[in-house]
mmCIF file of all heavy atoms in Angstrom:
data_model
loop_
_atom_site.group_PDB
_atom_site.id
_atom_site.type_symbol
_atom_site.label_atom_id
_atom_site.label_comp_id
_atom_site.label_asym_id
_atom_site.label_seq_id
_atom_site.Cartn_x
_atom_site.Cartn_y
_atom_site.Cartn_z
ATOM 1 N N ALA A 521 -29.914 -9.764 -40.676
ATOM 2 C CA ALA A 521 -29.928 -9.058 -39.389
ATOM 3 C C ALA A 521 -28.973 -9.731 -38.402
ATOM 4 O O ALA A 521 -28.247 -9.052 -37.655
ATOM 5 C CB ALA A 521 -31.341 -9.024 -38.829
ATOM 6 N N ALA A 522 -28.966 -11.053 -38.398
ATOM 7 C CA ALA A 522 -28.076 -11.777 -37.488
ATOM 8 C C ALA A 522 -26.612 -11.503 -37.813
ATOM 9 O O ALA A 522 -25.769 -11.389 -36.911
ATOM 10 C CB ALA A 522 -28.371 -13.273 -37.560
ATOM 11 N N ARG A 523 -26.302 -11.397 -39.096
ATOM 12 C CA ARG A 523 -24.916 -11.083 -39.497
ATOM 13 C C ARG A 523 -24.509 -9.706 -38.999
ATOM 14 O O ARG A 523 -23.376 -9.496 -38.552
ATOM 15 C CB ARG A 523 -24.774 -11.162 -41.015
ATOM 16 C CG ARG A 523 -24.763 -12.581 -41.561
ATOM 17 C CD ARG A 523 -24.982 -12.611 -43.058
ATOM 18 N NE ARG A 523 -24.006 -11.791 -43.767
ATOM 19 C CZ ARG A 523 -24.180 -11.341 -45.021
ATOM 20 N NH1 ARG A 523 -25.300 -11.617 -45.682
ATOM 21 N NH2 ARG A 523 -23.245 -10.625 -45.601
ATOM 22 N N VAL A 524 -25.418 -8.747 -39.080
ATOM 23 C CA VAL A 524 -25.116 -7.403 -38.592
ATOM 24 C C VAL A 524 -24.875 -7.434 -37.087
ATOM 25 O O VAL A 524 -23.923 -6.818 -36.573
ATOM 26 C CB VAL A 524 -26.261 -6.426 -38.940
ATOM 27 C CG1 VAL A 524 -26.040 -5.074 -38.262
ATOM 28 C CG2 VAL A 524 -26.371 -6.242 -40.450
ATOM 29 N N LEU A 525 -25.729 -8.168 -36.373
ATOM 30 C CA LEU A 525 -25.586 -8.234 -34.919
ATOM 31 C C LEU A 525 -24.328 -8.982 -34.496
ATOM 32 O O LEU A 525 -23.839 -8.804 -33.373
ATOM 33 C CB LEU A 525 -26.824 -8.900 -34.305
ATOM 34 C CG LEU A 525 -28.122 -8.089 -34.439
ATOM 35 C CD1 LEU A 525 -29.313 -8.896 -33.955
ATOM 36 C CD2 LEU A 525 -28.017 -6.774 -33.672
ATOM 37 N N ALA A 526 -23.774 -9.797 -35.381
ATOM 38 C CA ALA A 526 -22.539 -10.522 -35.070
ATOM 39 C C ALA A 526 -21.289 -9.693 -35.347
ATOM 40 O O ALA A 526 -20.177 -10.099 -34.987
ATOM 41 C CB ALA A 526 -22.485 -11.825 -35.867
ATOM 42 N N LEU A 527 -21.467 -8.540 -35.981
ATOM 43 C CA LEU A 527 -20.308 -7.718 -36.352
ATOM 44 C C LEU A 527 -19.510 -7.277 -35.129
ATOM 45 O O LEU A 527 -18.273 -7.296 -35.147
ATOM 46 C CB LEU A 527 -20.783 -6.479 -37.128
ATOM 47 C CG LEU A 527 -21.026 -6.649 -38.626
ATOM 48 C CD1 LEU A 527 -21.601 -5.358 -39.202
ATOM 49 C CD2 LEU A 527 -19.734 -7.005 -39.354
ATOM 50 N N ARG A 528 -20.191 -6.856 -34.071
ATOM 51 C CA ARG A 528 -19.481 -6.343 -32.894
ATOM 52 C C ARG A 528 -18.608 -7.443 -32.275
ATOM 53 O O ARG A 528 -17.462 -7.210 -31.913
ATOM 54 C CB ARG A 528 -20.464 -5.788 -31.869
ATOM 55 C CG ARG A 528 -19.786 -5.081 -30.702
ATOM 56 C CD ARG A 528 -20.824 -4.463 -29.770
ATOM 57 N NE ARG A 528 -21.580 -3.403 -30.415
ATOM 58 C CZ ARG A 528 -21.167 -2.131 -30.494
ATOM 59 N NH1 ARG A 528 -19.991 -1.776 -29.992
ATOM 60 N NH2 ARG A 528 -21.920 -1.222 -31.072
ATOM 61 N N GLU A 529 -19.173 -8.639 -32.193
ATOM 62 C CA GLU A 529 -18.397 -9.749 -31.647
ATOM 63 C C GLU A 529 -17.198 -10.071 -32.541
ATOM 64 O O GLU A 529 -16.085 -10.314 -32.057
ATOM 65 C CB GLU A 529 -19.290 -10.979 -31.511
ATOM 66 C CG GLU A 529 -18.594 -12.182 -30.891
ATOM 67 C CD GLU A 529 -19.519 -13.366 -30.717
ATOM 68 O OE1 GLU A 529 -20.752 -13.179 -30.823
ATOM 69 O OE2 GLU A 529 -19.007 -14.477 -30.483
ATOM 70 N N GLU A 530 -17.427 -10.050 -33.851
ATOM 71 C CA GLU A 530 -16.328 -10.310 -34.783
ATOM 72 C C GLU A 530 -15.275 -9.220 -34.697
ATOM 73 O O GLU A 530 -14.063 -9.488 -34.755
ATOM 74 C CB GLU A 530 -16.883 -10.405 -36.207
ATOM 75 C CG GLU A 530 -15.838 -10.594 -37.303
ATOM 76 C CD GLU A 530 -15.048 -11.893 -37.183
ATOM 77 O OE1 GLU A 530 -15.512 -12.805 -36.471
ATOM 78 O OE2 GLU A 530 -13.976 -11.983 -37.792
ATOM 79 N N LEU A 531 -15.707 -7.962 -34.549
ATOM 80 C CA LEU A 531 -14.749 -6.867 -34.403
ATOM 81 C C LEU A 531 -13.924 -7.024 -33.127
ATOM 82 O O LEU A 531 -12.715 -6.744 -33.120
ATOM 83 C CB LEU A 531 -15.483 -5.521 -34.383
ATOM 84 C CG LEU A 531 -15.850 -4.927 -35.740
ATOM 85 C CD1 LEU A 531 -16.701 -3.670 -35.555
ATOM 86 C CD2 LEU A 531 -14.602 -4.580 -36.548
ATOM 87 N N ALA A 532 -14.561 -7.458 -32.062
ATOM 88 C CA ALA A 532 -13.830 -7.657 -30.807
ATOM 89 C C ALA A 532 -12.739 -8.704 -30.983
ATOM 90 O O ALA A 532 -11.604 -8.538 -30.490
ATOM 91 C CB ALA A 532 -14.796 -8.076 -29.704
ATOM 92 N N VAL A 533 -13.070 -9.769 -31.703
ATOM 93 C CA VAL A 533 -12.065 -10.806 -31.977
ATOM 94 C C VAL A 533 -10.949 -10.243 -32.844
ATOM 95 O O VAL A 533 -9.756 -10.503 -32.609
ATOM 96 C CB VAL A 533 -12.728 -12.020 -32.660
ATOM 97 C CG1 VAL A 533 -11.667 -13.028 -33.115
ATOM 98 C CG2 VAL A 533 -13.731 -12.688 -31.720
ATOM 99 N N LEU A 534 -11.310 -9.454 -33.838
ATOM 100 C CA LEU A 534 -10.303 -8.858 -34.721
ATOM 101 C C LEU A 534 -9.383 -7.905 -33.956
ATOM 102 O O LEU A 534 -8.175 -7.862 -34.213
ATOM 103 C CB LEU A 534 -10.998 -8.111 -35.868
ATOM 104 C CG LEU A 534 -11.637 -8.972 -36.959
ATOM 105 C CD1 LEU A 534 -12.468 -8.102 -37.901
ATOM 106 C CD2 LEU A 534 -10.571 -9.724 -37.752
ATOM 107 N N VAL A 535 -9.954 -7.113 -33.046
ATOM 108 C CA VAL A 535 -9.130 -6.201 -32.245
ATOM 109 C C VAL A 535 -8.119 -6.995 -31.418
ATOM 110 O O VAL A 535 -6.930 -6.662 -31.354
ATOM 111 C CB VAL A 535 -10.022 -5.325 -31.336
ATOM 112 C CG1 VAL A 535 -9.165 -4.594 -30.299
ATOM 113 C CG2 VAL A 535 -10.806 -4.315 -32.170
ATOM 114 N N ASP A 536 -8.575 -8.062 -30.769
ATOM 115 C CA ASP A 536 -7.658 -8.896 -29.970
ATOM 116 C C ASP A 536 -6.563 -9.495 -30.844
ATOM 117 O O ASP A 536 -5.381 -9.519 -30.460
ATOM 118 C CB ASP A 536 -8.439 -10.013 -29.273
ATOM 119 C CG ASP A 536 -9.284 -9.500 -28.111
ATOM 120 O OD1 ASP A 536 -9.024 -8.369 -27.663
ATOM 121 O OD2 ASP A 536 -10.200 -10.220 -27.685
ATOM 122 N N ASP A 537 -6.949 -9.963 -32.029
ATOM 123 C CA ASP A 537 -5.948 -10.564 -32.918
ATOM 124 C C ASP A 537 -4.959 -9.524 -33.422
ATOM 125 O O ASP A 537 -3.752 -9.791 -33.527
ATOM 126 C CB ASP A 537 -6.639 -11.235 -34.107
ATOM 127 C CG ASP A 537 -7.370 -12.517 -33.714
ATOM 128 O OD1 ASP A 537 -7.099 -13.013 -32.614
ATOM 129 O OD2 ASP A 537 -8.195 -12.995 -34.518
ATOM 130 N N ALA A 538 -5.465 -8.307 -33.729
ATOM 131 C CA ALA A 538 -4.560 -7.252 -34.205
ATOM 132 C C ALA A 538 -3.588 -6.832 -33.111
ATOM 133 O O ALA A 538 -2.407 -6.576 -33.373
ATOM 134 C CB ALA A 538 -5.381 -6.054 -34.682
ATOM 135 N N ARG A 539 -4.069 -6.760 -31.885
ATOM 136 C CA ARG A 539 -3.191 -6.408 -30.762
ATOM 137 C C ARG A 539 -2.133 -7.501 -30.551
ATOM 138 O O ARG A 539 -0.957 -7.214 -30.290
ATOM 139 C CB ARG A 539 -4.006 -6.225 -29.491
ATOM 140 C CG ARG A 539 -4.752 -4.898 -29.441
ATOM 141 C CD ARG A 539 -5.699 -4.866 -28.257
ATOM 142 N NE ARG A 539 -6.215 -3.525 -28.002
ATOM 143 C CZ ARG A 539 -7.222 -3.272 -27.172
ATOM 144 N NH1 ARG A 539 -7.826 -4.273 -26.531
ATOM 145 N NH2 ARG A 539 -7.624 -2.043 -26.970
ATOM 146 N N SER A 540 -2.554 -8.750 -30.665
ATOM 147 C CA SER A 540 -1.608 -9.858 -30.509
ATOM 148 C C SER A 540 -0.529 -9.804 -31.587
ATOM 149 O O SER A 540 0.660 -9.977 -31.311
ATOM 150 C CB SER A 540 -2.369 -11.190 -30.583
ATOM 151 O OG SER A 540 -1.482 -12.283 -30.533
ATOM 152 N N LEU A 541 -0.976 -9.525 -32.811
ATOM 153 C CA LEU A 541 -0.004 -9.403 -33.900
ATOM 154 C C LEU A 541 0.922 -8.221 -33.652
ATOM 155 O O LEU A 541 2.143 -8.296 -33.904
ATOM 156 C CB LEU A 541 -0.741 -9.224 -35.234
ATOM 157 C CG LEU A 541 0.129 -8.942 -36.468
ATOM 158 C CD1 LEU A 541 1.119 -10.078 -36.720
ATOM 159 C CD2 LEU A 541 -0.751 -8.712 -37.695
ATOM 160 N N GLY A 542 0.357 -7.124 -33.142
ATOM 161 C CA GLY A 542 1.174 -5.952 -32.871
ATOM 162 C C GLY A 542 2.266 -6.228 -31.849
ATOM 163 O O GLY A 542 3.405 -5.771 -32.013
ATOM 164 N N ARG A 543 1.905 -6.966 -30.805
ATOM 165 C CA ARG A 543 2.915 -7.301 -29.802
ATOM 166 C C ARG A 543 4.023 -8.155 -30.404
ATOM 167 O O ARG A 543 5.212 -7.973 -30.119
ATOM 168 C CB ARG A 543 2.256 -8.019 -28.614
ATOM 169 C CG ARG A 543 1.426 -7.097 -27.729
ATOM 170 C CD ARG A 543 1.014 -7.794 -26.435
ATOM 171 N NE ARG A 543 0.060 -8.882 -26.686
ATOM 172 C CZ ARG A 543 -1.273 -8.709 -26.704
ATOM 173 N NH1 ARG A 543 -1.787 -7.506 -26.500
ATOM 174 N NH2 ARG A 543 -2.067 -9.728 -26.907
ATOM 175 N N ALA A 544 3.624 -9.094 -31.270
ATOM 176 C CA ALA A 544 4.621 -9.971 -31.891
ATOM 177 C C ALA A 544 5.469 -9.230 -32.908
ATOM 178 O O ALA A 544 6.621 -9.618 -33.176
ATOM 179 C CB ALA A 544 3.924 -11.150 -32.561
ATOM 180 N N ALA A 545 4.939 -8.155 -33.479
ATOM 181 C CA ALA A 545 5.645 -7.443 -34.550
ATOM 182 C C ALA A 545 6.400 -6.222 -34.051
ATOM 183 O O ALA A 545 6.995 -5.491 -34.859
ATOM 184 C CB ALA A 545 4.639 -7.022 -35.622
ATOM 185 N N THR A 546 6.382 -5.980 -32.749
ATOM 186 C CA THR A 546 7.021 -4.785 -32.205
ATOM 187 C C THR A 546 8.480 -4.680 -32.638
ATOM 188 O O THR A 546 9.253 -5.639 -32.518
ATOM 189 C CB THR A 546 6.953 -4.799 -30.661
ATOM 190 O OG1 THR A 546 5.578 -4.827 -30.259
ATOM 191 C CG2 THR A 546 7.624 -3.570 -30.075
ATOM 192 N N GLY A 547 8.817 -3.490 -33.150
ATOM 193 C CA GLY A 547 10.191 -3.225 -33.549
ATOM 194 C C GLY A 547 10.531 -3.695 -34.941
ATOM 195 O O GLY A 547 11.602 -3.374 -35.464
ATOM 196 N N GLY A 548 9.661 -4.427 -35.573
ATOM 197 C CA GLY A 548 9.941 -4.929 -36.920
ATOM 198 C C GLY A 548 9.223 -4.127 -37.996
ATOM 199 O O GLY A 548 8.532 -3.137 -37.698
ATOM 200 N N PRO A 549 9.357 -4.545 -39.240
ATOM 201 C CA PRO A 549 8.747 -3.787 -40.348
ATOM 202 C C PRO A 549 7.214 -3.794 -40.330
ATOM 203 O O PRO A 549 6.583 -2.978 -41.003
ATOM 204 C CB PRO A 549 9.296 -4.493 -41.594
ATOM 205 C CG PRO A 549 9.664 -5.868 -41.139
ATOM 206 C CD PRO A 549 10.115 -5.714 -39.724
ATOM 207 N N LEU A 550 6.615 -4.718 -39.589
ATOM 208 C CA LEU A 550 5.150 -4.779 -39.530
ATOM 209 C C LEU A 550 4.574 -3.924 -38.410
ATOM 210 O O LEU A 550 3.350 -3.770 -38.307
ATOM 211 C CB LEU A 550 4.690 -6.231 -39.321
ATOM 212 C CG LEU A 550 5.180 -7.273 -40.328
ATOM 213 C CD1 LEU A 550 4.612 -8.645 -39.968
ATOM 214 C CD2 LEU A 550 4.800 -6.886 -41.742
ATOM 215 N N ASP A 551 5.436 -3.393 -37.572
ATOM 216 C CA ASP A 551 5.008 -2.728 -36.342
ATOM 217 C C ASP A 551 3.986 -1.624 -36.608
ATOM 218 O O ASP A 551 2.888 -1.602 -36.035
ATOM 219 C CB ASP A 551 6.231 -2.175 -35.614
ATOM 220 C CG ASP A 551 5.903 -1.730 -34.185
ATOM 221 O OD1 ASP A 551 4.718 -1.756 -33.830
ATOM 222 O OD2 ASP A 551 6.823 -1.370 -33.445
ATOM 223 N N GLY A 552 4.339 -0.682 -37.473
ATOM 224 C CA GLY A 552 3.459 0.465 -37.723
ATOM 225 C C GLY A 552 2.127 0.058 -38.320
ATOM 226 O O GLY A 552 1.073 0.599 -37.953
ATOM 227 N N TYR A 553 2.164 -0.908 -39.221
ATOM 228 C CA TYR A 553 0.922 -1.339 -39.866
ATOM 229 C C TYR A 553 -0.025 -2.011 -38.885
ATOM 230 O O TYR A 553 -1.238 -1.787 -38.906
ATOM 231 C CB TYR A 553 1.240 -2.306 -41.010
ATOM 232 C CG TYR A 553 2.167 -1.729 -42.048
ATOM 233 C CD1 TYR A 553 3.373 -2.349 -42.352
ATOM 234 C CD2 TYR A 553 1.836 -0.552 -42.726
ATOM 235 C CE1 TYR A 553 4.220 -1.818 -43.315
ATOM 236 C CE2 TYR A 553 2.681 -0.005 -43.683
ATOM 237 C CZ TYR A 553 3.873 -0.644 -43.965
ATOM 238 O OH TYR A 553 4.720 -0.122 -44.904
ATOM 239 N N THR A 554 0.522 -2.871 -38.027
ATOM 240 C CA THR A 554 -0.346 -3.586 -37.093
ATOM 241 C C THR A 554 -0.958 -2.639 -36.069
ATOM 242 O O THR A 554 -2.114 -2.787 -35.680
ATOM 243 C CB THR A 554 0.450 -4.685 -36.371
ATOM 244 O OG1 THR A 554 1.582 -4.104 -35.723
ATOM 245 C CG2 THR A 554 0.929 -5.738 -37.353
ATOM 246 N N ALA A 555 -0.171 -1.653 -35.634
ATOM 247 C CA ALA A 555 -0.707 -0.673 -34.686
ATOM 248 C C ALA A 555 -1.838 0.125 -35.332
ATOM 249 O O ALA A 555 -2.890 0.363 -34.714
ATOM 250 C CB ALA A 555 0.407 0.258 -34.217
ATOM 251 N N ALA A 556 -1.624 0.540 -36.588
ATOM 252 C CA ALA A 556 -2.664 1.305 -37.292
ATOM 253 C C ALA A 556 -3.930 0.476 -37.457
ATOM 254 O O ALA A 556 -5.055 0.975 -37.304
ATOM 255 C CB ALA A 556 -2.138 1.753 -38.650
ATOM 256 N N MET A 557 -3.762 -0.811 -37.776
ATOM 257 C CA MET A 557 -4.921 -1.676 -37.961
ATOM 258 C C MET A 557 -5.696 -1.824 -36.662
ATOM 259 O O MET A 557 -6.946 -1.755 -36.649
ATOM 260 C CB MET A 557 -4.475 -3.044 -38.475
ATOM 261 C CG MET A 557 -5.632 -3.999 -38.738
ATOM 262 S SD MET A 557 -5.122 -5.491 -39.635
ATOM 263 C CE MET A 557 -3.954 -6.194 -38.476
ATOM 264 N N ALA A 558 -4.985 -2.034 -35.548
ATOM 265 C CA ALA A 558 -5.652 -2.210 -34.263
ATOM 266 C C ALA A 558 -6.443 -0.964 -33.881
ATOM 267 O O ALA A 558 -7.606 -1.048 -33.452
ATOM 268 C CB ALA A 558 -4.627 -2.545 -33.181
ATOM 269 N N PHE A 559 -5.837 0.224 -34.052
ATOM 270 C CA PHE A 559 -6.521 1.466 -33.694
ATOM 271 C C PHE A 559 -7.744 1.696 -34.596
ATOM 272 O O PHE A 559 -8.792 2.162 -34.145
ATOM 273 C CB PHE A 559 -5.564 2.651 -33.780
ATOM 274 C CG PHE A 559 -4.627 2.746 -32.613
ATOM 275 C CD1 PHE A 559 -3.249 2.748 -32.799
ATOM 276 C CD2 PHE A 559 -5.120 2.842 -31.313
ATOM 277 C CE1 PHE A 559 -2.388 2.835 -31.712
ATOM 278 C CE2 PHE A 559 -4.265 2.930 -30.227
ATOM 279 C CZ PHE A 559 -2.895 2.924 -30.427
ATOM 280 N N ALA A 560 -7.598 1.351 -35.879
ATOM 281 C CA ALA A 560 -8.714 1.538 -36.807
ATOM 282 C C ALA A 560 -9.878 0.622 -36.447
ATOM 283 O O ALA A 560 -11.054 1.023 -36.506
ATOM 284 C CB ALA A 560 -8.257 1.270 -38.238
#
């Protein structure tokens, strides 16, 4: 149960990390993938 309740916090961290990667990858070959990951 605790692991399930920690999912939202972990997802929030993942969203921030994906956005950070997206900013760093803008214009490069990773750009589209990182944007898709962040939105997903």
Side-chain angles (χ1 to χ4, degrees):
R523 286 165 56 199
V524 172
L525 293 173
L527 276 175
R528 187 176 295 275
E529 183 178 346
E530 177 63 18
L531 277 174
V533 173
L534 286 171
V535 168
D536 287 344
D537 288 345
R539 283 172 168 168
S540 176
L541 174 60
R543 287 191 292 270
T546 300
L550 305 181
D551 192 354
Y553 303 122
T554 56
M557 182 169 61
F559 283 123

